[in-house]
Amino acid sequence: PDVKALAEVPDDELMKLWEGLGYYNRARNLKAAAVQIMEEFDGEIPSDYSKLLSLRGIGEYTAGAIASIADGEINKTSVKKKITQEVKRVLPEERPGDFNQALMDLGSSICIPNGEPFCENCPWEAVCQAHKYGRETDFPVKAKKKKRKIEKKAVFLIEVSDKIILHKRPEKGLLSGLWELPNLDGELSAKELSEQMKKWEIGDYMIEPLGEGKHIFSHVEWQMRGYRIQMRDISEKLLEKEEWIAVSREDLEEKYAIPSAFECYRKQIYRG
């Protein structure tokens, strides 16, 4: 099923799987090449012509065929760089703009990014390697999108007299370095909310549910439940311990950038 399995298959089993196909030395070469790929190329079949030539049983013709249709994920920088180099190699000095426009027109009207290509109308049909090997619909290669991760969040709009509490996110990671409304991972029960107030050493407060909110990033979805916490005052010790700051509504509006992920709760600051 894959390079690793081929590299590890016992010779007797390999010969049995190859039974009836003839050219048994070809099967041995395939296994030897798979072992090379595992040991020298970290299990990835190289797309570079010279590296392909170094593999057991692969000659100039086979290396050229593989290199010409090697599958590379189109959004990878290395693949984009290689494609750019190939285009530059054949880019004519005269009318390069027309050449580029022709490539784009072929891609949009003949190759078709999402759908069946019109190979019978293509002026390059005779030299197209994808068409030659019947792999027209295999390109461009795009990585499958990973399923978006769901993260539950409890978000707190903490009002202290006429000020709002903010927290600064870490310098690395999602929304790095931005100010945010304090929040915790997970869904909190009434008991857990009460216990959290005790952990924060908040004794005299009023709590009000602010409802649910959702924000979708490219790879993660925040499913949030908000709470308004109203207090008369807050200790400097708690601000320092939780890395919080208390800011006026005016300063929040003019000086602090709050990610749009918290917009549904930020609106609640100015209600009424």
Side-chain angles (χ1 to χ4, degrees), residues 10-268:
D11 288 348
D12 289 342
E13 184 179 345
L14 177 63
M15 291 300 103
K16 182 62 179 175
L17 290 167
W18 196 266
E19 187 178 27
L21 296 176
Y23 300 99
Y24 285 90
N25 197 47
R26 192 170 285 177
R28 296 186 183 94
N29 284 337
L30 279 169
K31 178 180 176 180
V35 171
Q36 273 185 271
I37 291 167
M38 293 302 299
E39 293 178 350
E40 300 174 21
F41 301 104
D42 297 321
E44 293 289 331
I45 300 174
S47 57
D48 180 82
Y49 178 77
S50 60
K51 291 178 180 177
L52 284 165
L53 272 179
S54 72
L55 298 177
R56 180 78 173 270
I58 293 184
E60 293 182 358
Y61 176 81
T62 306
I66 294 173
S68 66
I69 59 171
D71 298 2
E73 202 274 293
I74 194 66
N75 289 321
K76 285 186 176 179
T77 302
S78 60
V79 174
K80 290 181 178 179
K81 184 177 180 181
K82 183 176 180 181
I83 292 173
T84 300
Q85 290 172 342
E86 286 298 307
V87 173
K88 283 183 176 179
R89 186 173 61 84
V90 297
L91 186 68
E93 292 184 8
E94 294 183 5
R95 300 172 65 188
D98 290 343
F99 178 85
N100 289 335
Q101 186 64 50
L103 284 180
M104 290 188 286
D105 287 347
L106 281 171
S108 62
S109 61
I110 301 294
C111 300
I112 311 296
N114 298 297
E116 289 292 327
F118 299 103
C119 296
E120 64 277 9
N121 299 327
C122 181
W124 282 359
E125 181 183 6
V127 296
C128 175
Q129 294 296 298
H131 181 66
K132 178 180 179 180
Y133 291 95
R135 301 188 58 197
E136 299 94 335
T137 58
D138 291 348
F139 305 96
V141 178
K142 294 183 179 179
K144 291 183 179 179
K145 290 185 178 180
K146 294 181 180 179
K147 190 174 181 180
R148 192 175 286 121
K149 182 182 178 183
I150 303 296
E151 292 183 357
K152 302 287 186 178
K153 295 278 184 182
V155 180
F156 298 91
L157 173 53
I158 304 176
E159 300 176 343
V160 182
S161 187
D162 62 342
K163 294 188 176 181
I164 306 297
I165 300 299
L166 297 180
H167 171 260
K168 194 168 190 179
R169 292 185 64 83
E171 293 301 321
K172 293 184 179 180
L174 185 64
L175 304 177
S176 56
L178 295 178
W179 292 97
E180 66 177 355
L181 298 179
N183 58 86
L184 297 170
D185 293 334
E187 291 182 289
L188 303 183
S189 64
K191 181 180 179 182
E192 288 171 330
L193 278 171
S194 178
E195 290 174 350
Q196 186 60 51
M197 295 303 108
K198 290 178 182 179
K199 288 180 183 178
W200 282 338
E201 299 176 8
I202 296 175
D204 186 13
Y205 67 92
M206 291 179 60
I207 187 167
E208 171 193 356
L210 292 179
E212 298 180 353
K214 180 171 72 173
H215 189 81
I216 297 175
F217 300 91
S218 60
H219 60 291
V220 65
E221 177 180 318
W222 281 2
Q223 294 181 355
M224 302 172 285
R225 187 177 296 275
Y227 303 91
R228 184 194 302 274
I229 308 294
Q230 293 178 311
M231 307 162 53
R232 289 186 178 179
D233 52 43
I234 191 169
S235 68
E236 291 295 329
K237 181 180 177 183
L238 178 58
L239 291 175
E240 184 177 340
K241 177 185 174 183
E242 297 296 333
E243 298 182 335
W244 290 350
I245 61 168
V247 303
S248 67
R249 285 170 169 77
E250 291 75 16
D251 282 347
L252 176 61
E253 187 69 24
E254 296 176 6
K255 298 180 181 179
Y256 295 92
I258 306 297
S260 58
F262 300 96
E263 186 61 27
C264 57
Y265 300 119
R266 177 174 176 163
K267 291 178 181 178
Q268 299 285 343

